[in-house]
Amino acid sequence: MGTYIKDTTCKKSQPSPVGIRLKAELKKRGFSQKSFAEQLGMSPSHLSDIVRGNRPLSLKTAVILQNLLGIPAKDWMDLQISHKLEGNSDNNSEGFRDAEEIAAYDQIICVKTLLKKANISAKGNRECIDVLRHIYQLPSPEKLKSESEMLKNGFFRKSAKTGLDERMIATWVVLARSSVREQKLYTQFDGKTLSELTNLLSQVFNSNSNTIIRTHDVLAKYGIKFSVVERLGHASIDGYSFIDGDTPAIVVTKRYDRIDNFAFSVLHEVYHVYKHLNDKCHQMISIVDYDTESAEEKEANDFASRTLVSPDLWFDAPTVQLNKPWIIQKRYSSWAEDHHLNKWIVLGQISHITGMYKFKSDDSRKIH
């Protein structure tokens, strides 16, 4: 912590929030500045001046950015105006305030990780703060700390096991929220469609073909944002459900590249969205190896298990000896095929119920 306390800002022009945001968006979408300048109808040097902060963004260009990137022109102009206001502050004390703010942020989240994930090498504390405010839209350190405390105290317990570094969990949550922020949905969420939605998701999981994209599309049709964000070290998170503005969102980590884990995590968070997210509870996070599970977590686990393989189907399941994993795998794979179920979802459930994890995996278990 404290990596960014030393102020390296010089008097040369620094990238403005507009430039930082635009540079990050181009990297994320795979555009070069030269090719994007052509789409904007301006010279590469003109666009470079905007990115570097040497030329202000015009309203006309903001509207073109809105059309090309889907980010409202008002957002671009707000960044422009806020940068001008900040530029009129007392420069003598600004460096000290920036250093203190970075240090405060870095106690709660890993600033270095967020900069790396944004593909930005911030030069000085001012540019670093611009990334945190305008790329990740972080609130003040005081408010961010309060939100992180609510998440920690409300939905998970400290464990003696690894993977529960509170600072890295808070960092991942910032990345998760950022990953769905620009998603646009055209259907409003309806809290009465749980059964209908889970039937469609079950079909996606059992076929395990183009699974992540199809999961995203199904959830979007029911008014739920969805994303997959790689987990961070020391933050063993399976999934996170929350309210983004007034829209529910689900982010999972794909902690294991296995269809059974992915399906379980998504359905677990779907249940939270429909049953637990409300005016009093706006976020739920699923972390492995709890010392104590909440009632809400147990409900979501039970729902996910029952949805993947219904209790009625288990009555028809083969009877085999638990000390012979290869026989269990063979017979239950055949049984799963007869019932149009993904064999790994069935075997994953058996592992969850019995604690037996000796099944021989193959490529078909991966998320496809």
Side-chain angles (χ1 to χ4, degrees):
M1 292 188 287
T3 305
Y4 296 90
I5 292 178
K6 183 178 179 181
D7 188 6
T8 59
T9 306
C10 60
K11 293 186 178 180
K12 294 180 180 180
S13 62
Q14 296 292 325
S16 67
V18 170
I20 292 171
R21 178 72 184 274
L22 183 54
K23 189 175 181 180
E25 290 294 334
L26 295 185
K27 284 189 175 182
K28 182 170 70 175
R29 299 163 195 257
F31 296 147
S32 68
Q33 283 190 204
K34 182 177 180 180
S35 64
F36 193 70
E38 294 177 357
Q39 295 185 56
L40 288 171
M42 63 176 59
S43 67
S45 61
H46 187 144
L47 178 58
S48 180
D49 283 344
I50 293 175
V51 170
R52 292 177 180 175
N54 295 330
R55 183 190 295 263
L57 182 74
S58 68
L59 177 58
K60 178 181 177 181
T61 302
V63 172
I64 298 175
L65 289 175
Q66 173 180 281
N67 295 334
L68 292 177
L69 301 177
I71 300 172
K74 181 179 182 300
D75 289 359
W76 293 109
M77 296 310 296
D78 285 346
L79 292 178
Q80 176 89 356
I81 293 170
S82 68
H83 182 62
K84 287 184 178 180
L85 292 175
E86 289 171 0
N88 292 326
S89 63
D90 182 1
N91 291 327
N92 293 327
S93 60
E94 184 177 7
F96 293 103
R97 291 199 304 271
D98 290 348
E100 289 177 351
E101 187 168 357
I102 291 298
Y105 274 125
D106 209 45
Q107 289 180 354
I108 308 162
I109 45 91
C110 181
V111 172
K112 183 178 180 180
T113 296
L114 293 180
L115 293 177
K116 182 179 180 181
K117 293 295 183 179
N119 292 318
I120 292 176
S121 299
K123 299 176 181 178
N125 292 323
R126 171 47 37 191
E127 186 175 341
C128 181
I129 290 173
D130 284 339
V131 171
L132 298 179
R133 288 180 180 173
H134 304 304
I135 300 297
Y136 293 109
Q137 298 186 19
L138 292 187
S140 67
E142 294 78 12
K143 186 173 182 181
L144 180 64
K145 183 177 181 180
S146 176
E147 292 178 353
S148 297
E149 287 294 324
M150 286 178 58
L151 184 67
K152 178 183 70 174
N153 294 331
F155 308 117
F156 69 90
R157 301 286 188 270
K158 291 189 69 174
S159 170
K161 299 182 180 181
T162 60
L164 289 178
D165 184 315
E166 295 169 8
R167 181 165 166 264
M168 296 311 295
I169 289 170
T171 304
W172 184 87
V173 166
V174 171
L175 292 169
R177 287 184 168 275
S178 177
S179 72
V180 301
R181 188 167 290 123
E182 301 299 337
Q183 288 186 20
K184 304 297 181 184
L185 300 181
Y186 302 98
T187 301
Q188 188 172 5
F189 173 71
D190 181 353
K192 299 178 181 179
T193 56
L194 177 60
S195 177
E196 183 180 327
L197 169 60
T198 52
N199 285 337
L200 291 176
L201 286 175
S202 293
Q203 295 175 28
V204 171
F205 300 146
N206 283 308
S207 65
N208 192 21
S209 174
N210 208 20
T211 303
I212 292 177
I213 293 176
R214 291 173 64 200
T215 299
H216 175 278
D217 292 345
V218 169
L219 289 171
K221 290 177 182 177
Y222 285 82
I224 302 173
K225 296 181 178 182
F226 176 74
S227 179
V228 175
V229 173
E230 181 184 2
R231 82 175 185 92
L232 301 177
H234 306 293
S236 296
I237 300 168
D238 284 325
Y240 177 45
S241 51
F242 57 98
I243 302 298
D244 181 54
D246 58 358
T247 304
I250 292 173
V251 182
V252 296
T253 60
K254 205 170 68 169
R255 192 165 64 93
Y256 299 108
D257 185 12
R258 301 197 301 226
I259 182 59
D260 47 313
N261 294 86
F262 179 79
F264 188 92
S265 296
V266 172
L267 290 171
H268 178 104
E269 300 306 328
V270 163
Y271 190 79
H272 282 323
V273 165
Y274 278 85
K275 299 297 182 180
H276 298 143
L277 298 189
N278 50 47
D279 293 338
K280 295 182 180 179
C281 172
H282 65 278
Q283 56 185 343
M284 296 290 290
I285 189 165
S286 299
I287 302 175
V288 297
D289 296 332
Y290 286 39
D291 283 340
T292 304
E293 278 188 332
S294 66
E296 292 84 358
E297 286 296 293
K298 290 179 180 178
E299 288 176 10
N301 284 339
D302 291 343
F303 172 80
S305 293
R306 287 186 281 106
T307 302
L308 290 173
V309 183
S310 72
D312 292 340
L313 275 179
W314 283 124
F315 283 113
D316 184 41
T319 302
V320 292
Q321 294 181 8
L322 291 178
N323 62 346
K324 296 183 178 180
W326 67 274
I327 294 180
I328 294 175
Q329 183 166 359
K330 181 179 179 180
R331 292 189 180 177
Y332 272 88
S333 295
S334 178
W335 179 80
E337 184 177 351
D338 291 341
H339 289 82
H340 307 290
L341 299 173
N342 183 290
K343 70 176 183 180
W344 286 114
I345 288 178
V346 171
L347 293 171
Q349 285 295 286
I350 293 175
S351 294
H352 178 72
I353 294 169
T354 66
M356 178 184 294
Y357 297 92
K358 296 181 179 180
F359 301 129
K360 186 177 181 180
S361 294
D362 55 38
D363 186 67
S364 66
R365 192 172 191 176
K366 293 182 178 181
I367 304 167
H368 291 286

Coordinates of all heavy atoms in Angstrom, one line a residue, residues 9 22 27 53 88 109 125 151 164 188 194 240 245 255 260 288 308-309 342 360 363-364:
T9 N 4.1 14.4 -10.6 CA 3.5 15.3 -11.6 C 4.4 16.4 -12.0 O 5.1 17.0 -11.2 CB 2.2 15.9 -11.0 OG1 1.3 14.9 -10.6 CG2 1.5 16.7 -12.1
L22 N -11.2 8.0 -23.0 CA -11.2 7.6 -24.4 C -10.1 6.6 -24.7 O -10.3 5.6 -25.5 CB -11.0 8.9 -25.3 CG -11.0 8.7 -26.8 CD1 -12.3 8.0 -27.2 CD2 -10.9 10.1 -27.5
K27 N -8.7 0.9 -26.2 CA -8.0 -0.3 -25.9 C -8.9 -1.5 -25.7 O -8.7 -2.6 -26.2 CB -7.1 -0.1 -24.7 CG -5.8 0.7 -25.0 CD -4.9 0.7 -23.7 CE -3.6 1.4 -24.0 NZ -2.7 1.3 -22.9
G53 N -4.7 15.9 -23.6 CA -5.2 17.0 -22.8 C -4.7 18.4 -23.4 O -4.8 19.4 -22.7
N88 N -8.6 24.9 -11.8 CA -8.6 26.2 -11.2 C -8.3 26.1 -9.7 O -8.4 27.1 -8.9 CB -9.9 26.9 -11.4 CG -10.1 27.2 -12.9 OD1 -9.1 27.6 -13.5 ND2 -11.3 27.2 -13.3
I109 N -8.7 -0.5 -1.4 CA -8.6 -1.3 -2.7 C -7.2 -1.2 -3.2 O -6.4 -0.3 -2.8 CB -9.6 -0.8 -3.8 CG1 -9.6 0.8 -3.9 CG2 -11.0 -1.2 -3.5 CD1 -8.6 1.3 -4.8
N125 N 0.0 11.4 -9.2 CA -1.2 11.1 -8.4 C -2.5 11.7 -9.0 O -3.6 11.2 -8.9 CB -1.1 11.7 -7.0 CG 0.0 10.9 -6.2 OD1 0.1 9.7 -6.3 ND2 0.8 11.6 -5.4
L151 N -20.4 -4.6 2.9 CA -20.3 -5.8 2.1 C -19.6 -6.9 3.0 O -20.1 -8.0 3.1 CB -19.4 -5.6 0.9 CG -19.3 -6.8 0.0 CD1 -20.6 -7.2 -0.7 CD2 -18.3 -6.6 -1.1
L164 N -9.5 -14.8 1.3 CA -10.4 -13.8 1.8 C -9.7 -12.6 2.2 O -9.9 -12.0 3.3 CB -11.1 -14.5 3.0 CG -12.1 -15.5 2.7 CD1 -12.8 -16.1 4.0 CD2 -13.2 -15.0 1.8
Q188 N -37.2 -4.4 -18.9 CA -37.2 -4.1 -17.5 C -37.4 -5.4 -16.7 O -38.1 -6.4 -17.1 CB -38.4 -3.2 -17.1 CG -38.3 -2.7 -15.6 CD -39.4 -1.7 -15.4 OE1 -40.2 -1.3 -16.2 NE2 -39.3 -1.1 -14.2
L194 N -38.9 -16.0 -12.4 CA -37.8 -16.8 -12.0 C -37.8 -18.2 -12.7 O -36.8 -18.7 -13.2 CB -37.8 -17.0 -10.5 CG -36.7 -17.9 -9.9 CD1 -35.3 -17.5 -10.3 CD2 -36.9 -18.0 -8.4
Y240 N -21.3 -12.6 -7.7 CA -21.7 -11.3 -7.1 C -22.9 -10.8 -7.7 O -23.0 -10.7 -9.0 CB -20.5 -10.3 -7.2 CG -20.8 -8.9 -6.6 CD1 -21.4 -8.7 -5.4 CD2 -20.4 -7.8 -7.4 CE1 -21.5 -7.4 -4.9 CE2 -20.6 -6.5 -6.9 CZ -21.1 -6.3 -5.6 OH -21.3 -5.1 -5.1
G245 N -27.6 1.0 -10.4 CA -28.6 2.0 -10.7 C -30.0 1.4 -10.2 O -30.3 1.3 -9.0
R255 N -14.1 -19.1 -11.6 CA -13.0 -19.5 -10.8 C -12.4 -20.9 -11.2 O -11.2 -21.1 -11.2 CB -13.4 -19.5 -9.3 CG -12.2 -19.6 -8.4 CD -12.7 -19.3 -7.0 NE -13.7 -20.3 -6.5 CZ -13.4 -21.3 -5.8 NH1 -12.1 -21.6 -5.5 NH2 -14.3 -22.1 -5.3
D260 N -20.1 -27.3 -14.6 CA -20.9 -27.5 -13.4 C -20.7 -26.3 -12.4 O -21.7 -25.9 -11.8 CB -20.6 -28.8 -12.8 CG -19.1 -29.1 -12.6 OD1 -18.4 -28.9 -13.6 OD2 -18.7 -29.5 -11.5
V288 N -16.1 -18.6 -1.3 CA -16.0 -20.1 -0.9 C -15.4 -20.2 0.5 O -14.8 -19.3 1.0 CB -15.1 -20.8 -1.9 CG1 -15.7 -20.8 -3.3 CG2 -13.7 -20.2 -2.0
L308 N -30.5 -27.5 -11.1 CA -29.6 -28.3 -12.0 C -30.0 -29.7 -12.2 O -30.0 -30.2 -13.3 CB -28.1 -28.3 -11.4 CG -27.4 -26.9 -11.5 CD1 -26.1 -27.0 -10.7 CD2 -27.2 -26.5 -12.9
V309 N -30.4 -30.4 -11.1 CA -31.0 -31.7 -11.1 C -32.2 -31.8 -10.1 O -31.9 -31.7 -8.9 CB -30.0 -32.8 -10.8 CG1 -30.6 -34.2 -11.0 CG2 -28.7 -32.7 -11.6
N342 N -26.5 -32.5 -18.9 CA -25.0 -32.5 -19.0 C -24.4 -33.4 -18.0 O -24.7 -33.3 -16.8 CB -24.5 -31.1 -18.9 CG -23.0 -31.0 -19.1 OD1 -22.2 -31.5 -18.3 ND2 -22.6 -30.4 -20.3
K360 N -12.7 -38.7 -13.3 CA -11.7 -38.3 -14.3 C -12.3 -37.3 -15.3 O -13.2 -37.6 -16.0 CB -11.3 -39.6 -15.0 CG -10.1 -39.4 -16.0 CD -9.7 -40.7 -16.7 CE -8.5 -40.4 -17.6 NZ -8.1 -41.7 -18.3
D363 N -12.1 -32.8 -21.6 CA -12.3 -31.4 -22.1 C -13.8 -31.0 -22.1 O -14.1 -29.8 -22.1 CB -11.7 -31.3 -23.6 CG -11.8 -29.9 -24.1 OD1 -11.1 -29.1 -23.6 OD2 -12.6 -29.7 -25.1
S364 N -14.7 -32.0 -22.1 CA -16.1 -31.7 -22.2 C -16.6 -31.0 -20.9 O -17.7 -30.5 -20.9 CB -16.9 -33.0 -22.4 OG -16.8 -33.9 -21.4

